[in-house]
Amino acid sequence: MSVEPVKALDDNYIWVYTQASDAVVVDPGEASSILTYLQEHNLNVITILLTHDHDDHTAGVKKVLEVYPKASVIGPKETERFNTQTVAPGDSLTLFEQEVKVLLTAGHTSGHISYLTNDMLFCGDALFSAGCGRVFTGDYQAQYDALKIFSELSNNTRVFAGHEYTETNLKFAQSLAEYPEAVDKKLTEVSLLRMQDIPTLPSTIGQEKEINVFLQADTLADFKALRDKRDNF
């Protein structure tokens, strides 16, 4: 089994989780790039996973289904217009004979979910490398709770986030009066990758604990203050 990123839109990643010739596609925000990738690699889509209802994560669903009409679509209630199966936090499902747990990771949207299987976390816009999603709902408690869920995962859990925001997030961390020591080294590594147009993801939970100032926020008030600063960075 493998997981590969497909670039989409300005800075999105559509993740493709494969076993042999079968593929699970996560958050297809547009169709052309993912369909090209699937056809070039002779892959058959069996499932589409959705984390939340934003166009840059769902706009490609219908066209993918036109090419792969037998694929199932699994997502939260907020994406139910696309879903063949609607899941809720605490549910589990099976993909490639592996259990996938559904986690509530709200805040960015009210029903945002993430999928955890083995050491892989597909977290949409709830967690980024060195950052987290904007709290469009205004429910900072929900986003803070999501970060606490992430921080309790195994350090070797790989983080497959929905956007390439790592470099900007690390530069934001450097703008703070105090920031984690590991940020400087990581930013050097990330800048070299981005100069070559190489993805900085996946990260790991262990790595995020060292560089992600949002995961390190001790209180809800601390988190909100950081998020407000990041919104205006």
Side-chain angles (χ1 to χ4, degrees):
M1 291 182 284
S2 66
V3 183
E4 296 293 334
V6 175
K7 297 175 186 176
L9 305 172
D10 291 333
D11 49 36
N12 282 70
Y13 289 129
I14 302 169
W15 294 102
V16 184
Y17 175 30
T18 62
Q19 182 180 59
S21 62
D22 288 332
V24 173
V25 173
V26 184
D27 284 351
E30 56 95 14
S32 60
S33 61
I34 187 62
L35 288 174
T36 297
Y37 179 90
L38 293 165
Q39 290 159 10
E40 286 179 348
H41 292 81
N42 296 312
L43 294 170
N44 175 53
V45 179
I46 59 170
T47 299
I48 297 170
L49 295 180
L50 302 177
T51 60
H52 66 291
D53 187 19
H54 280 165
D55 282 350
D56 64 329
H57 291 254
T58 63
V61 172
K62 290 183 179 179
K63 287 187 177 179
V64 172
L65 288 175
E66 288 175 5
V67 180
Y68 302 95
K70 293 183 180 180
S72 61
V73 181
I74 299 173
K77 184 174 176 57
E78 65 184 46
T79 65
E80 62 185 350
R81 69 187 183 281
F82 299 110
N83 299 349
T84 57
Q85 180 181 352
T86 297
V87 292
D91 287 351
S92 63
L93 49 119
T94 302
L95 292 174
F96 299 141
E97 300 180 349
Q98 302 294 323
E99 182 184 24
V100 180
K101 297 179 180 178
V102 180
L103 309 178
L104 177 62
T105 52
H108 185 67
T109 67
S110 59
H112 193 299
I113 60 174
S114 297
Y115 301 91
L116 177 67
T117 178
N118 294 329
D119 67 343
M120 299 184 297
L121 175 70
F122 298 100
C123 51
D125 288 356
L127 180 67
F128 301 125
S129 185
C132 69
R134 284 180 179 262
V135 185
F136 289 118
T137 61
D139 190 347
Y140 290 87
Q141 182 69 60
Q143 181 64 64
Y144 183 67
D145 291 345
L147 294 175
K148 293 304 178 186
I149 290 171
F150 294 137
S151 68
E152 293 171 0
L153 300 177
S154 170
N155 284 345
N156 67 355
T157 302
R158 290 177 287 165
V159 176
F160 297 93
H163 289 270
E164 181 56 73
Y165 290 161
T166 313
E167 188 171 23
T168 302
N169 287 335
L170 291 167
K171 289 179 179 178
F172 165 70
Q174 282 189 330
S175 76
L176 302 172
E178 296 182 4
Y179 61 88
E181 182 179 345
V183 165
D184 291 334
K185 179 180 178 182
K186 187 63 179 179
L187 181 55
T188 298
E189 296 173 0
V190 163
S191 296
L192 288 172
L193 291 173
R194 295 311 300 149
M195 286 174 62
Q196 302 170 74
D197 198 28
I198 298 173
T200 64
L201 296 166
S203 180
T204 66
I205 291 296
Q207 174 78 86
E208 294 310 306
K209 288 178 180 178
E210 294 182 354
I211 65 172
N212 194 319
V213 294
F214 297 97
L215 278 183
Q216 295 181 5
D218 291 327
T219 67
L220 176 59
D222 291 342
F223 166 68
K224 186 177 186 304
L226 283 170
R227 188 61 254 180
D228 288 346
K229 289 179 181 178
R230 178 66 178 88
D231 290 347
N232 294 299
F233 180 70

